[in-house]
Structure formats: structure tokens, C-alpha cells
Amino acid sequence: MPPPERGQGPDPHPGEEAAPPAPPVAIRGFLLYRDFLLDRAKQEAMVADLRAVAGEAPFLRPMTAWGKPMSVQMTSAGRLGWVTDRRGYRYEPRHPGTGEAWPAIPDSILAVWRAVSGTGRLPDSCLVNFYGEAARMGLHQDKDEGDYRFPVVSLSLGDEALFRMGGTKREERTESVWLRSGDVVVMGGAARLAYHGIDRIRFGSSTLLPQGGRINVTLRCVTSS
Ligand code: MD6
Ligand code: FE
């Protein structure tokens, strides 16, 4: 058998084991798998899968608990979707606009979780964020889940984004890195409750999305069993 190829992401060739991902770099406890999905065709297939999700569960511009619309548009797949409105942040089993259950998490996305999450459990929730030209995401912790033993796995597609990573207190020192299309970040262990955010994107830096912009997908276990 030939040696495993690097950077080929999850999707093994039929009858072969998935190639182990190239080792990540650790930044403030966040694990960054650069070019986890190197293959352009795989990235395009994933975008098509996510467009199908958004076809069933349209993107929403959520309201924060303090009544300001977020600049990022969001939808979800999986058993539970993350929503926010005047009642605050929470997970819901149905799309707030259509009233329908969220679509299933695409297999192409689950394959990334299987390859890097280090758990046999599958995620309950797949949050899909879309960043247009001026979108950003303030420094936050992911703490609406019921169980922090499981990591959050994030995948970037499209334009580059400046990702800021800190510690478990807002005042702590931060480090930033430009995330590129195909990069995967795992936030687990001591970094599971670390502050992080997106300062800005470089609109038009990638050709993956013909109209420009960035898609970020985050996978999470929400309930403790
Ligand atoms: C983003 N990411 O990359 C925002 N959360 O657009 C997140 O908020 C995030 O990258 C938890 C774990 C990894 C992440
Ligand atoms: Fe987050």
C-alpha cells in the first residue's frame, strides 16, 4: 500500500483507510490543521452540500439578545441548531422561520469531525455561518452547550478570515491567524472555553464562492449523552 498522502482530508479512496491528517499547529491551545482540505473539488462539493442545507433551512440574520442584528448570516444542520433572538442564545430542534426540523448534517462535513474530533460520538449540531464583505464576529466563548468534554470543530471555506484566539478570560492576551479555505480548527481540552472571534475577512481573496464571502462551519456536541 502506498504511504498515506498528506492534506487529502477525510474522504478515503474506496477500500483504503482515511489518510491521517498532517499534524496540527497549536496556538493558545487551539489546534490548526492547515489545508486540511487541499482538494478544490472536495471544497466545491462541500459548498454544494451546504447550499442544499441552506435551501431547506434558509440563512437568517440573527438578533443578539440586546436587539442588534449580527453581521454574520446563520443556519444549521443536525438535531439541534443554534439560534439567538431577544430571548437569548440557545439550541432549538427547529428552524425559527420555517418551523421545520433542521436538515441532516452532510456526510462530507461529518467526515471532518470523524477525522479530527478524537471522539466516537457524532455532533448534535452543525452551525453554518456566512460572512459577507463587512461581516465579523466579536470575541466570544462557545458556552451554550451542556457538555464541554467534547471539542468544537470548525472548517473554513472561501475568503480568508482573521481569527483571534485568547484564553478563558476576556482580558487575556490574544494571538491571530489568517484562516484560509480548507483550514480546520479544533477547540478542545483547556481551550474549549477560550475566547475567540473573527476581526474581518479579506473579501474576494478566494475564488471558491463565485460571489465572494466566507463560510464557516462549526460542529458541536450539545447534550451530555
Ligand atoms: C468563524 N468561529 O470561524 C467563527 N467557534 O467564523 C468560531 O466561532 C469558532 O472557529 C468555536 C470553535 C472554533 C471556531
Ligand atoms: Fe465560536
Side-chain angles (χ1 to χ4, degrees), residues 6 18 27 42 51 56 77 104 131 139 141 145 149 158 185 209 213 223:
R6 294 284 194 201
I27 309 169
K42 277 183 194 157
R51 283 195 203 285
E56 276 187 65
Y131 292 73
L139 206 64
Q141 291 171 294
E145 299 75 32
R149 289 173 303 171
V185 174
L209 305 177
T223 57

Side-chain angles (χ1 to χ4, degrees), residues 36-215:
F36 185 79
L37 290 169
L38 254 188
D39 187 319
R40 169 81 180 211
K42 277 183 194 157
Q43 293 189 23
E44 286 174 358
M46 236 176 228
V47 170
D49 290 344
L50 294 168
R51 283 195 203 285
V53 165
E56 276 187 65
F59 277 103
L60 300 163
R61 168 133 332 147
M63 278 288 172
T64 57
W66 47 94
K68 197 172 167 264
M70 293 182 75
S71 58
V72 173
Q73 297 177 63
M74 295 183 173
T75 189
S76 290
R79 199 163 63 76
L80 292 167
W82 188 84
V83 301
T84 170
D85 56 23
R86 294 300 186 96
R87 287 166 51 205
Y89 306 143
R90 63 195 183 278
Y91 285 91
E92 291 283 357
R94 291 173 182 278
H95 186 284
T98 67
E100 300 287 333
W102 304 97
I105 303 176
D107 285 337
S108 59
I109 305 282
L110 284 177
V112 175
W113 171 272
R114 287 197 179 93
V116 300
S117 68
T119 166
R121 192 178 153 174
L122 290 177
D124 302 309
S125 182
C126 170
L127 176 64
V128 187
N129 292 322
F130 176 75
Y131 292 73
E133 187 156 9
R136 54 183 294 282
M137 190 176 290
L139 206 64
H140 67 276
Q141 291 171 294
D142 286 24
K143 55 175 189 185
D144 301 319
E145 299 75 32
D147 196 327
Y148 303 134
R149 289 173 303 171
F150 301 103
V152 181
V153 171
S154 137
L155 166 69
S156 294
L157 293 166
D159 289 340
E160 294 170 19
L162 188 56
F163 185 53
R164 183 188 290 272
M165 294 157 282
T168 51
K169 296 196 189 79
R170 189 177 277 280
E171 321 75 70
E172 278 179 61
R173 173 178 66 86
T174 63
E175 273 180 58
S176 296
V177 68
W178 282 97
L179 295 180
R180 299 189 298 250
S181 196
D183 288 351
V184 167
V185 174
V186 178
M187 197 177 75
R192 175 63 182 77
L193 288 171
Y195 277 88
H196 57 281
I198 297 287
D199 289 351
R200 60 196 156 93
I201 72 165
R202 267 186 192 135
F203 190 76
S205 54
S206 159
T207 56
L208 185 68
L209 305 177
Q211 315 292 317
R214 169 175 185 261
I215 297 173

